[in-house]
Amino acid sequence: MEDLPDEALEQVAAYFQMLSEPTRLRILNLLRSGERSVGELAQICGYSAANISRHLSMLTKQGFLVRENRGTSVYYRIADASVYALCDLVCGNIARRLEVAARTRDLFFESAQRRRTPTAPKRRTKG
């Protein structure tokens, strides 16, 4: 992104904005295994066909998807699979951050447990 003009940065922001909505991410994930119709996606996602169509239209306009009419149905498929590499990179980063947070949390719990556990008095040995 170094030295990009403002117009280009706006396009980059619009691209990432498409990935900022969980329903659109779910749609992209469902299309990972192959094309699907609007009806199939709506049924799987549990939303109306109109709602899914709105998201599909946005993803198509931004270049994520390709649309194909077949009779009375419309099918969508991924236009550029590099979006999955980007999503996998982000998901991996989030998973690593959560792992670090969990380990840190566990250290605090272990420390609190040790402070709460009474210790037995030490026995003196004759010597």
Side-chain angles (χ1 to χ4, degrees):
M1 293 191 329
E2 191 174 333
D3 299 326
L4 286 179
D6 288 346
E7 296 81 17
L9 289 174
E10 287 175 17
Q11 289 181 11
V12 171
Y15 182 92
F16 281 109
Q17 189 176 19
M18 287 298 105
L19 301 176
S20 70
E21 211 288 327
T23 302
R24 289 193 288 269
L25 290 174
R26 186 162 187 212
I27 290 168
L28 290 171
N29 201 37
L30 289 168
L31 294 174
R32 191 182 279 235
S33 62
E35 69 180 14
R36 294 187 187 260
S37 70
V38 175
E40 288 173 306
L41 291 166
Q43 184 178 14
I44 294 168
C45 291
Y47 295 115
S48 69
N51 186 1
I52 294 299
S53 289
R54 183 176 59 83
H55 289 294
L56 291 167
S57 175
M58 295 169 76
L59 288 165
T60 301
K61 183 178 179 182
Q62 195 59 40
F64 286 89
L65 304 179
V66 174
R67 170 191 164 122
E68 185 178 330
N69 293 325
R70 292 191 202 146
T72 59
S73 296
V74 180
Y75 285 82
Y76 288 86
R77 67 180 180 275
I78 293 298
D80 182 4
S82 69
V83 69
Y84 296 123
L86 176 62
C87 288
D88 291 344
L89 180 67
V90 171
C91 289
N93 182 288
I94 291 170
R96 284 187 297 280
R97 287 189 356 221
L98 290 173
E99 287 173 8
V100 167
R103 284 194 302 268
T104 302
R105 184 196 67 227
D106 290 347
L107 290 174
F108 278 100
F109 285 131
E110 289 170 11
S111 176
Q113 272 303 91
R114 284 193 302 268
R115 285 193 307 268
R116 278 188 247 146
T117 305
T119 56
K122 293 183 180 179
R123 293 185 184 184
R124 292 188 175 195
T125 59
K126 294 182 183 179

